[in-house]
Amino acid sequence: MPLTVYGTELSSRLLLGTAQYPSPAILAEAVKASGAGVVTVSLRREGLDGGSGGGFWSLIRQLGVRVLPNTAGCHTVKEAVTTARMAREVFGTNWIKLEVIGHHDTLQPDVFGLVEAARILADDGFAVFPYTTEDLVVGERLIEAGCEVLMPWCAPIGSAKGPVNIDALRAYRAHFADTPLIVDAGLGRPSHAAAVMELGFDGVLLNTAVAKAGDPVMMAAAFAQAVEAGCGAFEAGPLEPRDMAVPSTPIIGKAVFS
Amino acid sequence: MKLIVNGQALETTARTLSELMAELGHAGNWFATAVNSEFVPGSERERARLSEGDRVEILTPRQGG
């Protein structure tokens, strides 16, 4: 069954970032190979990095995917809210991946500012996708603020560590049984994506693991397969681990030779 | 009049945000603007008068994660 967020059915459970690719052409090919229906984008100062915002926007529009603008790099509620409002105008969407960064080294969210900004933006008509931790109470506050989806990290952004706290993610899934949950940040390998999907998460959002791979296009396709495999495994009902062996071959009918 | 545009000092004769955008050659619907940390929609740039020392941000789409 497809994932639905804010009343919109997504064509894939893999959401892909658009940063750090070797070239625009490889970015475009990676998006196609991933099958992602949603890609994340940002706003930056025009004219300072030598790039053209208009050219990048034209490339993304040609891909025919939905965009999820972010507030990456914002460290205050004011910065995030202003950036979100600017993004809504330029990208023509009320979707916003809300980041309020709280720590320079770990890039972990300032969850207090995050909840405050989420409330302001939800009241202003935004569909807020909050980048958060796996803290249950913060998740509850975000839902109270108006969020209809939660995006907990599984490890620091760009770390490629994969899920470092499986028990917390499992508890998160169990606690927010009726809320779409997308693991955002920290995934390094397709097996990581499969692992969180097997826990029952509804989707994954990743960027660096694909963009910085030796072959981003091939890695995008590999992640797509992993997400599909993990989702299928969860829906199929995986076995719970057991401490003792259980023979798979029937004992009844075994020959006796002594 | 001196402004701070995208973090850099700029001497300009522009009186409004729309005049500043024209002076910088920024035409198109992929620009977003803010003055002194407040979002200014494109439809309000003509009415947005600028003052000495205003901090203007002009942002455009970029890659993001």
Side-chain angles (χ1 to χ4, degrees):
Chain A
M1 194 169 68
L3 170 60
T4 298
V5 287
Y6 289 105
T8 297
E9 195 174 281
L10 305 187
S11 58
S12 168
R13 293 173 181 271
L14 171 57
L15 294 79
L16 195 62
T18 58
Q20 305 185 78
Y21 290 83
S23 71
I26 292 176
L27 160 63
E29 287 304 311
V31 171
K32 290 174 190 169
S34 74
V38 176
V39 299
T40 51
V41 292
S42 73
L43 283 178
R44 286 294 180 262
R45 287 171 165 172
E46 175 70 358
L48 287 187
D49 60 2
S52 165
F56 171 71
W57 186 212
S58 176
L59 170 74
I60 295 300
R61 279 184 295 183
Q62 287 171 15
L63 294 174
V65 293
R66 180 180 274 271
V67 294
L68 175 58
N70 69 27
T71 62
C74 292
H75 285 255
T76 67
V77 173
K78 180 69 178 176
E79 279 184 316
V81 168
T82 299
T83 300
R85 288 174 173 153
M86 296 172 86
R88 179 166 60 179
E89 180 180 70
V90 168
F91 294 112
T93 176
N94 68 336
W95 284 19
I96 191 73
K97 179 189 167 188
L98 181 60
E99 297 184 33
V100 181
I101 300 299
H103 195 280
H104 285 281
D105 293 330
T106 63
L107 297 181
Q108 69 185 90
D110 169 358
V111 295
F112 306 99
L114 179 68
V115 171
E116 185 181 344
R119 182 173 293 111
I120 292 168
L121 292 171
D123 290 347
D124 193 20
F126 281 87
V128 179
F129 294 65
Y131 157 65
T132 184
T133 66
E134 65 276 74
D135 187 292
L136 299 178
V137 181
V138 172
E140 288 180 346
R141 296 291 183 271
L142 288 167
I143 289 173
E144 289 168 11
C147 296
E148 296 181 15
V149 59
L150 297 172
M151 300 208 301
W153 68 352
C154 76
I157 293 173
S159 69
K161 282 179 174 292
V164 295
N165 194 343
I166 284 282
D167 289 339
L169 290 175
R170 188 178 283 115
Y172 208 80
R173 176 69 281 178
H175 189 71
F176 298 109
D178 300 323
T179 302
L181 302 179
I182 297 171
V183 169
D184 175 20
L187 296 167
R189 299 178 181 213
S191 56
H192 298 156
V196 297
M197 294 301 293
E198 286 174 9
L199 292 179
F201 280 81
D202 297 289
V204 300
L205 197 169
L206 55 99
N207 188 157
T208 310
V210 167
K212 302 300 278 185
D215 185 333
V217 178
M218 189 180 290
M219 189 60 82
F223 265 103
Q225 292 172 338
V227 168
E228 197 170 328
C231 182
F234 173 72
E235 291 178 357
L239 280 184
E240 289 302 316
R242 291 179 284 209
D243 290 330
M244 294 298 175
V246 178
S248 49
T249 303
I251 298 297
I252 298 174
K254 178 185 175 299
V256 178
F257 296 112
S258 58
Chain B
M1 175 168 61
K2 187 175 285 183
L3 304 174
I4 304 297
V5 179
N6 284 354
Q8 297 179 342
L10 179 77
E11 190 70 35
T12 178
T13 57
R15 294 164 298 174
T16 64
L17 189 52
S18 61
E19 287 182 8
L20 177 66
M21 294 293 282
E23 186 177 297
L24 295 173
H26 291 337
N29 60 1
W30 56 87
F31 296 92
T33 50
V35 177
N36 298 328
S37 301
E38 294 294 338
F39 168 52
V40 180
S43 59
E44 293 180 16
R45 286 180 198 145
E46 275 190 35
R47 292 195 299 274
R49 299 196 66 83
L50 297 172
S51 303
E52 179 78 21
D54 276 349
R55 291 174 294 109
V56 179
E57 293 287 343
I58 302 170
L59 308 185
T60 59
R62 284 293 191 282
Q63 298 83 353

